[in-house]
Amino acid sequence: MTWLNPGGLPRRQSFQGWLFLLPLMIATIVVIVLPTLATVAFSLTDWSGFGEVTFIGLENFRQLATDASFLQSLKHAVIWTAIFLTVPIFMGLLGAVLLSEAGPLQTFFKLVYFIPVTLASVINAHIWRSLYDPFRGAGAVLEGLGIPFLADVAFLGEKNLALYAVAWVDVWRWWGFLVVVFLAALQAINPELYDSAKVDGASWWLEFRHVTLPGIRVTLLFVVLITIVGSLNVFDYVYILTQGGPAGATEVPVTLLYKSAFQKYEAGYAAAIGTTMSFLSGLVLVGYLLLQHMGWEE
């Protein structure tokens, strides 16, 4: 069985290799595989989280397909994904390009931009809840300075604004991480490519299009992958700031899952939501692997 002895290693070395991997394999099975299988199994049941478990087949998934709350939360997840595939990635790329020219101050700015990533979600959310406060926040301060256009705007209380206000908090946290990641990718590009482009008379845009983007393609593709998966499973900032309100305006699938499991005691239905979102994330991963197979990372 060649898969047990990759590369034709001597049997003793192959055994030792698998022996070293054994703790990781056990941890993976216990922490990931078994809970995943349990979630899929419970998604086929009517279970409150306690007591008797009743098998109902695909009934939870049929209910999901017509559940207005779930469909609305899925729509919000798509909007969130669209925001995060554009705004923070653009900001991160722009920040990295500008920071690459910062010289001695580069390290200082990297630290400053990375600070929001190091703070706990609760702390970031509390900071922005204070800034969003319509009576004591940034709008009230600007009104006192004679700039009243944000006065009395309840960013987290307006149905049309709440989702974007929460998303901006996460963007503020996320983009500094992307700056550092993209900057590392930019620094790995051979400087001679830029010198050749300049000799050929290429403009800044042509340099970016034909040298920078191909040079960071692997990093960009990976960032897109983790952005989509993270957006489909967003929870912390939404729940801390709005708990899915007002009137479901910021409800996303994972907050709905949490409420179904721990407030409505519909653990089977919550498991169906989790299984569905895992399936969608799996589709994204399959797409990423297909792009790899097509040579996008070469």
Side-chain angles (χ1 to χ4, degrees), residues 43 45 53 77 107 114 131 176 214 293 295:
S43 71
T45 67
V53 179
T107 301
F114 204 76
L131 290 172
H293 181 71

Side-chain angles (χ1 to χ4, degrees), residues 27-267:
T28 300
I29 291 172
V30 172
V31 176
I32 298 177
V33 176
L34 292 181
T36 299
L37 293 177
T39 300
V40 174
F42 284 128
S43 71
L44 304 175
T45 67
D46 180 11
W47 185 45
S48 66
F50 306 95
E52 184 180 355
V53 179
T54 304
F55 179 78
I56 58 173
L58 298 176
E59 184 59 34
N60 284 327
F61 294 97
R62 281 193 287 267
Q63 185 179 342
L64 275 180
T66 58
D67 185 345
S69 296
F70 176 71
L71 295 177
Q72 183 185 44
S73 72
L74 201 57
K75 174 184 174 182
H76 293 158
V78 171
I79 294 173
W80 190 284
T81 302
I83 292 171
F84 274 77
L85 285 178
T86 51
V87 179
I89 289 180
F90 171 78
M91 291 173 60
L93 270 175
L94 179 62
V97 170
L98 295 177
L99 202 56
S100 64
E101 306 294 333
L105 294 176
Q106 187 179 109
T107 301
F108 169 76
F109 283 113
K110 281 196 295 185
L111 290 173
V112 170
Y113 293 156
F114 204 76
I115 286 175
V117 183
T118 65
L119 297 178
S121 302
V122 175
I123 296 175
N124 285 336
H126 179 73
I127 292 171
W128 280 93
R129 186 189 293 277
S130 300
L131 290 172
Y132 281 147
D133 191 300
F135 305 109
R136 299 185 299 274
V141 172
L142 291 174
E143 184 182 23
L145 297 174
I147 309 174
F149 73 97
L150 291 179
D152 301 325
V153 178
F155 288 98
L156 300 177
E158 294 283 345
K159 290 185 65 175
N160 295 329
L161 293 176
L163 183 65
Y164 301 99
V166 176
W168 175 252
V169 177
D170 208 357
V171 166
W172 175 77
R173 188 268 313 180
W174 181 238
W175 88 282
F177 171 77
L178 296 185
V179 168
V180 175
V181 169
F182 284 137
L183 182 61
L186 288 175
Q187 291 174 337
I189 299 175
N190 189 344
E192 293 181 0
L193 296 176
Y194 289 104
D195 294 337
S196 298
K198 287 183 173 64
V199 169
D200 292 337
S203 63
W204 178 88
W205 167 247
L206 289 177
E207 283 185 17
F208 180 78
R209 180 181 175 184
H210 295 290
V211 178
T212 302
L213 281 182
I216 65 171
R217 182 169 56 186
V218 174
T219 301
L220 185 59
L221 191 59
F222 177 72
V223 165
V224 168
L225 170 69
I226 61 175
T227 297
I228 295 175
V229 173
S231 297
L232 290 175
N233 296 283
V234 63
F235 173 78
D236 50 357
Y237 285 102
V238 175
Y239 194 79
I240 294 170
L241 289 170
T242 64
Q243 294 79 50
T250 60
E251 199 79 85
V252 290
V254 183
T255 58
L256 189 64
L257 182 156
Y258 179 86
K259 293 176 181 178
S260 297
F262 300 108
Q263 295 179 8
K264 298 179 180 180
Y265 297 104
E266 298 175 348

